[in-house]
């Protein structure tokens, strides 16, 4: 369980995180979403005690991270996969980390097997591809068999097979009852992995909801066409729906497709089209964060002039 | 070419390490003035007889030379190693695939930047020291006109070391390794030659960057006896020989850098 | 703490720079031996009158200088290497008590410096003494001063920890190396040029002048030169100054650990 409480962090004059509060619960994959520069990495560093917040707190299992005696056994984190000494072998890199938390070499070996690096254990990390470094970073996070895991943009630079591997790994970790927080700037990725979404922009919380809730919230109703449109509109309205005419058809909100079909059948009104129109989560995300995107793409004209 | 040049100039002046190094150079000017004050006080405290028997040493500018050389050398080293450390070198070579052009631009920018820095340090230090010392010490008795070639040679040797640093940085791609070699060349070399037998000690001493300015400006060898009575290594090169030595440093360094960046993969 | 120490030991011996430093130290011993061998062979060819003028300075002082700088660089890299690669984030995430990380690094480096510094000094002397043999060449014709040889250990230790402190506080190897060079080389030049008695007073507390005083060796008496400051500090005083230098480097380093790890 991770709790972020009224967290604020500024670097010089930029406010990176601004009074942010949310909770990450065990047994679920929580997606931590926001455009680039929204404050995701800063929040994760603050949770790990790497950056001292200006105000507010971040707690792991009810206590500040820096008070945990052997933190790798409680929290595993992947921040930046390229943060390794290029001249050291993968095995030695992990062994050095493991020793600091009194984790045995057998755990190192089994974690390397789990992430598929056993064959290159003695190779220098400098020669690793980005995907292999990503696996090495995940191995480091898993070393202490922690109940809380944090991954900062874990699928960056991975091939499709690597992306699927990470997705399944995270689902599996959550399935074990662990707390999993995954940051990303891509909703399409989180949609497939996360159960819950924490969306931030400019350091502030925008949304904290389950994927299902968000999907429902951004339903834009059902498009219905019928030769007896006025009659149908009256019937739907009296059943509690909001009906607005739209391009010769009706946009219906508040009733789902089966209810609309049943109602029309009961009244004997023919239907020519019934199309549910859910906004994709991607669109929902774009709309939610539209105001908080740090670097808006300039239009072609602005660039050309 | 001018585009690459101005890009390299922008890179040099927009990083913090350059600001720090030039800040240290400014501090050195103040330090040199204070050192001159201390030296002249020490000199005047000596008895008239001791003063008659001794020279009182060289100018303060000579005293701080090696440290200024080290600063210039670090500027040179970092121009390549910082790009390798951050991976920026990939973009640099991607946008300018003709790598020798990058090398030439970097060398030009480093040479110009360190020439300005070293000249500022040497001439301003001289101006302050001259004001403080006047003609109270033998080293400052000759006027500015007579000192000019030597001061220019002091500054020029810093540029040579900076280009040497550039080559070492390109070759080793590691700031620590390249700076370590500079330290050996600038500081340890001088200690080691003390242990070497004659005449090798004089030859190697003459080849060290610290001995370049005297020889470039044609200052006669300063033959001093060491504690045990045997002569401490002194310079042996003629003025043209010294210029050839300086050119040799630059050519060898840039040549090695050329081979390193054109023959090896970037990674 | 033992876990941290063994982790730091693993980190130290699993990077190339450590092997390079080891090679440089070995080369300095070999170079010193070659030099001694050359002087000895020269002595054999000389006339008795010329032999009077021949002397060989203590080669241990040369290998000590190399050790001092090498360990200062290792100390610097122990921290700056982690900051440069970003590994420091994993290190501090694994051990949030950052002071302990610094302490573990200091212990590992310190023990290595002490052992290697002492061993280098003893080995250099033994090799050179064996090469010189019975020849009465100046500075090798006196009985061995074991205390003086043994001070190489603490002196190397001090340099390693000063390097570690500077590297931690500055987070940049280029900056920290320049700072060490300033302490090691530039300060003595400044001290030499100060008015008496300050030249000797400041000269006596310079980094490179502490080990002879720790052993009670009077350099001025040994080499008979005016340039060398006399014996100003007692061995205990020299030890106190060495400890003060080390603390002066490590305390700002400890304070700087509070900064954010970006």
């Amino acid at each position: 369980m991770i709790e972020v409480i009224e967290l604020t962090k500024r670097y010089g004059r930029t406010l990176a995180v601004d009074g942010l509060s949310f909770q990450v619960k065990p047994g679920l994959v929580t997606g931590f979403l926001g455009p680039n520069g929204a404050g995701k990495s800063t929040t994760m560093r603050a949770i790990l005690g790497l950056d001292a917040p200006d105000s507010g707190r971040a707690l792991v299992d009810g206590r500040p991270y820096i008070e945990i005696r052997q933190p790798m056994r409680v929290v595993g984190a992947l921040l930046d996969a390229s943060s390794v000494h290029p001249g050291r072998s993968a095995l030695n890199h992990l062994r050095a980390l493991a020793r600091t938390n009194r984790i045995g070499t057998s755990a190192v070996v089994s974690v390397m097997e789990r992430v598929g690096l056993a064959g290159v254990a003695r190779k220098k990390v400098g020669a690793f591809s980005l995907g292999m470094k990503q696996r090495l970073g995940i191995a480091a996070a898993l070393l202490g068999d922690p109940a809380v895991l944090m991954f900062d943009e874990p699928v960056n630079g991975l091939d499709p097979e690597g992306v699927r591997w990470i997705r399944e790994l995270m689902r599996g970790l959550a399935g074990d009852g662990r707390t999993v927080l995954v940051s990303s700037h891509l909703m399409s990725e989180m949609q497939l992995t996360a159960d819950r979404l924490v969306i931030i922009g400019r350091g502030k919380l925008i949304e904290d909801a389950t994927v299902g809730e968000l999907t429902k919230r951004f339903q834009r109703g059902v498009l219905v066409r019928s030769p007896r449109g006025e009659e149908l509109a009256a019937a739907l309205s009296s059943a509690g729906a909001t009906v607005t005419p739209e391009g010769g058809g009706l946009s219906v909100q508040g009733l789902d497709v089966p209810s609309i079909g049943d109602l029309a059948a009961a009244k004997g009104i023919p239907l020519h089209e019934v199309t549910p129109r859910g906004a994709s989560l991607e669109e929902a995300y774009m709309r939610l964060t539209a105001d908080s995107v740090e670097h808006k793409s300039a239009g072609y004209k602005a660039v050309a002039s | 070419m001018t585009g690459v040049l101005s890009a390299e100039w922008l890179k040099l002046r927009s990083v913090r390490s350059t600001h720090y190094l030039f800040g240290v150079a400014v501090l050195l000017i103040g330090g040199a003035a204070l050192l001159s004050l201390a030296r002249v006080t020490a000199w005047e405290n000596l008895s008239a007889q001791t003063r008659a028997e001794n020279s009182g040493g060289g100018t303060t500018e000579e005293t701080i030379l090696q440290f200024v050389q080290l600063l210039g050398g670090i500027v040179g080293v970092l121009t390549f190693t910082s790009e390798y450390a951050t991976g920026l070198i990939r973009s640099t070579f991607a946008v300018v695939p003709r790598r020798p052009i990058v090398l030439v631009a970097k060398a030009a920018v480093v040479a110009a930047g360190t020439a300005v820095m070293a000249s500022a340090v040497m001439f301003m230090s001289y101006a302050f020291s001259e004001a403080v010392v006047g003609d109270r010490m033998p080293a400052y008795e000759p006027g500015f006109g007579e000192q000019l070639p030597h001061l220019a040679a002091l500054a020029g040797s810093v540029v040579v070391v900076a280009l040497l640093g550039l080559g070492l940085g390109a070759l080793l791609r590691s700031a620590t390794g390249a700076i370590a070699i500079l330290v050996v060349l600038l500081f340890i070399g001088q200690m080691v030659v003390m242990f070497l037998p004659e005449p090798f000690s004089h030859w190697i001493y003459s080849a060290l960057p610290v001995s370049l300015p005297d020889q470039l400006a044609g200052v006669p060898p300063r033959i001093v006896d060491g504690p045990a009575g045997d002569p401490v290594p002194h310079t042996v090169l003629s003025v043209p020989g010294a210029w050839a030595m300086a050119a040799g440093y630059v050519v060898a360094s840039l040549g090695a850098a050329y081979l390193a960046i054109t023959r090896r993969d970037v990674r | 703490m033992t876990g941290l120490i063994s982790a730091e030991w693993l980190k130290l011996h699993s990077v190339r720079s450590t092997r390079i430093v080891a090679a440089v130290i070995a080369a300095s011993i070999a170079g010193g031996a070659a030099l001694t061998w050359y002087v000895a062979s020269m002595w054999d060819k000389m006339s008795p009158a010329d032999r009077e003028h021949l002397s060989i300075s203590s080669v241990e002082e040369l290998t000590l200088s190399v050790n001092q700088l090498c360990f200062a660089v290792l100390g610097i890299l122990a921290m700056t290497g982690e900051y440069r690669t970003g590994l420091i984030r994993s290190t501090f995430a694994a051990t949030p008590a950052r002071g302990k990380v610094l302490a573990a690094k200091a212990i590992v480096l310190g023990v290595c410096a002490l052992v290697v510094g002492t061993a280098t000094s003893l080995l250099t002397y033994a090799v050179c003494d064996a090469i010189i043999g019975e020849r009465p060449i100046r500075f090798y014709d006196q009985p061995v001063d074991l205390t003086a040889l043994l001070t190489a250990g603490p002196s190397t230790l001090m340099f390693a920890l000063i390097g570690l402190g500077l590297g931690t506080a500055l987070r940049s190897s280029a900056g920290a190396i320049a700072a060490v060079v300033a302490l090691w080389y530039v300060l003595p030049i400044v001290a030499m040029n100060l008015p008496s008695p300050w030249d000797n007073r400041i000269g006596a507390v310079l980094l490179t002048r502490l080990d002879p005083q720790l052993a009670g060796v009077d350099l001025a008496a040994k080499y008979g030169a005016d340039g060398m400051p006399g014996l100003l500090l007692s061995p205990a005083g020299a030890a106190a100054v060495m400890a003060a230098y080390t603390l002066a480097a490590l305390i700002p380093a400890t304070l700087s650990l509070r900064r954010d790890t970006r």
Side-chain angles (χ1 to χ4, degrees):
Chain A
M1 165 97 155
I2 302 171
E3 291 162 273
V4 173
I5 306 154
E6 291 294 320
L7 190 76
T8 299
K9 176 72 188 175
R10 41 175 87 245
Y11 296 113
R13 303 182 69 179
T14 20
L15 197 53
V17 178
D18 184 5
L20 184 62
S21 300
F22 64 88
Q23 290 189 347
V24 187
K25 296 196 173 65
L28 302 172
V29 175
T30 303
F32 192 24
L33 269 166
N36 289 328
K40 302 184 296 288
S41 297
T42 305
T43 306
M44 288 185 142
R45 279 203 302 268
I47 294 171
L48 292 171
L50 291 174
D51 282 12
D54 292 306
S55 65
R57 288 185 301 164
L59 304 178
V60 179
D61 291 348
R63 56 198 161 151
Y65 183 87
I66 55 167
E67 286 175 12
I68 306 173
R69 280 198 59 84
Q70 291 184 340
M72 289 174 78
R73 295 177 185 277
V74 181
V75 185
L78 165 74
L79 287 186
D80 177 358
S82 54
S83 294
V84 285
H85 194 297
R88 205 170 268 133
S89 71
L91 180 64
N92 277 340
H93 169 72
L94 291 179
R95 277 167 74 202
L97 279 175
R99 283 185 187 180
T100 61
N101 278 236
R102 303 191 158 278
I103 296 164
T105 306
S106 59
V108 175
V109 172
S110 73
V111 159
M112 291 197 94
E113 276 162 10
R114 182 163 178 195
V115 301
L117 287 180
V120 290
R122 292 185 190 278
K123 256 189 148 179
K124 286 193 175 171
V125 178
F128 277 23
S129 68
L130 187 54
M132 287 157 83
K133 281 186 188 164
Q134 207 73 269
R135 284 169 189 260
L136 182 65
I138 287 167
L142 297 177
L143 269 178
D145 194 22
V148 177
L149 286 131
M150 295 205 300
F151 301 102
D152 195 5
E153 311 266 357
V155 298
N156 265 4
L158 288 189
D159 55 12
E161 131 67 31
V163 171
R164 208 181 60 201
W165 175 76
I166 288 203
R167 206 179 284 154
E168 279 164 13
L169 176 81
M170 290 189 295
R171 301 249 28 115
L173 290 167
D176 297 345
R178 297 176 213 259
T179 307
V180 182
L181 180 65
V182 193
S183 82
S184 176
H185 55 271
L186 296 177
M187 175 59 104
S188 50
E189 177 52 38
M190 286 299 97
Q191 207 173 338
L192 294 168
T193 321
D195 306 296
R196 225 189 141 75
L197 295 171
V198 172
I199 303 176
I200 66 169
R202 294 192 184 224
K204 286 200 171 89
L205 186 70
I206 294 179
E207 198 55 72
D208 180 358
T210 65
V211 173
E213 280 165 8
L214 269 188
T215 316
K216 199 176 270 178
R217 178 119 44 93
F218 285 89
Q219 285 272 324
R220 282 186 306 184
V222 183
L223 180 71
V224 188
R225 286 181 206 278
S226 166
R228 289 155 60 188
E230 277 177 39
E231 213 178 316
L232 180 65
L236 291 170
S237 300
S238 60
T242 317
V243 185
T244 39
E246 190 187 304
L250 300 170
S251 171
V252 183
Q253 246 133 17
L255 281 181
D256 55 9
V257 175
S259 319
I260 295 171
D262 291 350
L263 194 70
K267 300 262 176 188
I269 303 172
L271 294 177
H272 289 181
E273 181 185 351
V274 184
T275 313
R277 291 190 305 183
S280 74
L281 274 176
E282 189 72 49
E283 285 172 64
Y285 170 56
M286 294 298 250
R287 249 186 285 160
L288 280 172
T289 56
D291 299 333
S292 61
V293 175
E294 187 128 282
H295 313 281
K296 270 208 181 118
S297 318
Y300 173 74
K301 271 185 186 164
V303 175
S305 60
Chain B
M1 186 70 213
T2 50
V4 183
L5 259 180
S6 76
E8 289 301 331
W9 171 240
L10 179 65
K11 279 189 212 164
L12 180 69
R13 70 179 169 81
S14 60
V15 293
R16 223 170 31 161
S17 53
T18 311
H19 301 170
Y20 283 142
L21 285 164
F22 283 67
V24 172
V26 171
L27 287 180
L28 261 177
I29 298 172
L34 289 176
L35 184 58
S36 292
L37 184 64
R39 292 181 64 203
V40 75
T41 319
W43 178 248
E44 298 205 317
N45 282 346
L46 297 173
S47 69
Q49 197 202 340
T50 322
R51 272 188 282 169
E53 285 167 1
N54 285 289
S55 65
T59 60
T60 305
E61 292 67 60
E62 293 169 72
T63 310
I64 60 171
L65 171 67
Q66 281 151 289
F67 203 68
V68 185
Q69 284 180 337
L70 180 65
L71 293 184
I74 292 178
V75 171
V77 166
L78 292 181
T79 44
F80 266 115
T81 60
S82 68
E83 293 210 14
Y84 278 105
T86 56
L88 177 64
I89 195 74
R90 288 191 286 270
S91 325
T92 303
F93 284 156
V95 295
V96 187
R98 288 166 65 194
R99 299 180 187 178
I101 291 186
V102 175
L103 175 63
V104 170
K106 279 189 187 296
V109 165
V110 164
T114 53
V116 170
M117 187 262 298
S119 308
V121 170
M122 291 304 172
F123 285 99
M124 290 178 73
S125 164
Y126 177 79
F128 284 126
S129 301
E130 169 79 310
V132 170
V133 178
D135 47 11
R136 289 187 283 167
M137 280 178 83
Y140 285 94
E141 270 164 17
F144 177 70
E146 273 175 74
Q147 294 274 27
L148 183 62
H150 193 236
L151 286 172
L154 287 170
S157 76
V158 175
V159 177
V160 171
V161 174
L163 292 176
L164 187 61
L166 181 85
L168 287 171
L171 201 60
L172 300 180
R173 301 183 182 185
S174 143
T176 312
I179 295 173
I181 291 183
L182 280 182
V183 168
V184 168
L185 221 58
L186 296 179
F187 299 99
I188 315 258
Q190 228 185 342
M191 289 173 60
V192 173
V193 291
M194 298 288 177
F195 288 85
L196 296 180
E198 289 181 273
F200 306 114
S201 56
H202 303 310
W203 297 347
I204 295 180
Y205 178 72
S206 304
L208 291 176
V210 68
S211 320
L212 274 181
D214 272 11
Q215 302 177 104
L216 286 173
V219 175
R222 306 171 193 209
I223 297 174
V224 205
D225 282 350
D230 33 55
V232 164
H234 58 75
T235 55
V236 293
L237 292 179
S238 65
V239 174
W243 282 88
M245 173 63 77
Y249 267 122
V250 173
V251 169
S253 160
L254 296 186
Y258 171 80
L259 292 179
I261 62 170
T262 50
R263 299 279 169 86
R264 274 155 60 188
D265 292 343
V266 173
R267 267 262 272 255
Chain C
M1 196 69 203
T2 50
L4 279 180
I5 291 171
S6 80
E8 289 302 332
W9 166 241
L10 177 60
K11 282 190 207 167
L12 182 68
H13 76 70
S14 61
V15 289
R16 202 178 49 163
S17 47
T18 308
R19 290 194 280 279
I20 293 177
V21 159
V24 168
I25 292 173
S28 79
I29 300 175
L35 202 69
T36 313
W37 175 82
Y38 182 83
V39 172
S41 66
M42 229 169 33
W43 192 87
D44 291 340
K45 286 178 226 151
M46 280 177 169
S47 67
D50 285 345
R51 286 179 178 177
E52 284 297 302
H53 294 290
L54 191 71
S55 73
I56 176 165
S57 309
S58 306
V59 182
E60 309 88 69
E61 283 167 27
L62 185 70
T63 52
L64 173 59
S65 292
V66 172
N67 258 301
Q68 287 169 335
L69 290 180
C70 279
F71 271 94
V73 168
L74 272 190
I76 289 168
L77 287 180
M79 253 329 173
T80 60
E82 295 213 14
Y83 277 107
R84 180 171 50 83
T85 56
L87 178 64
I88 196 74
R89 288 192 288 270
S90 306
T91 302
F92 284 161
T95 314
R98 301 179 183 184
K100 281 190 182 172
V101 175
L102 183 64
K105 283 183 190 291
I107 290 169
V108 169
L109 272 168
V111 170
C112 287
L114 204 57
V115 170
V116 175
T118 310
T120 304
S121 171
L122 293 177
L123 186 64
T124 309
Y125 181 82
V127 169
C128 294
D129 194 51
I131 292 170
I132 298 279
E134 295 299 307
R135 301 178 188 89
I137 303 178
R138 197 142 29 103
F139 300 132
Y140 269 91
D141 51 358
Q142 272 129 36
V144 55
D145 183 350
L146 198 59
T147 326
L149 290 179
L150 289 178
T151 54
S155 179
T156 310
L157 165 69
M158 172 180 72
F159 270 87
L161 297 185
I162 288 175
L164 179 65
L166 285 171
T168 308
L170 300 178
R171 296 186 182 185
S172 139
S173 54
I177 292 176
V180 166
V181 168
L183 277 176
W184 173 78
Y185 195 88
V186 182
L187 271 191
I189 293 177
V190 172
M192 236 160 53
N193 284 296
L194 292 178
S196 181
W198 287 101
D199 53 349
N200 277 353
R201 284 184 191 164
I202 302 288
V205 297
L206 291 175
L207 291 177
T208 47
R209 301 277 165 73
L210 290 170
D211 47 293
Q213 298 181 91
L214 189 62
V217 172
D218 191 338
L219 283 182
K222 181 174 178 187
Y223 292 116
D226 323 318
M228 295 283 181
L231 201 56
L232 279 190
L233 296 172
S234 66
V241 174
M242 289 172 92
Y245 267 117
T246 309
L247 287 180
L250 288 180
I251 289 173
T254 312
L255 296 177
S256 79
L257 290 175
R258 291 188 196 159
R259 284 187 293 168
D260 290 342
T261 312
R262 286 253 259 172

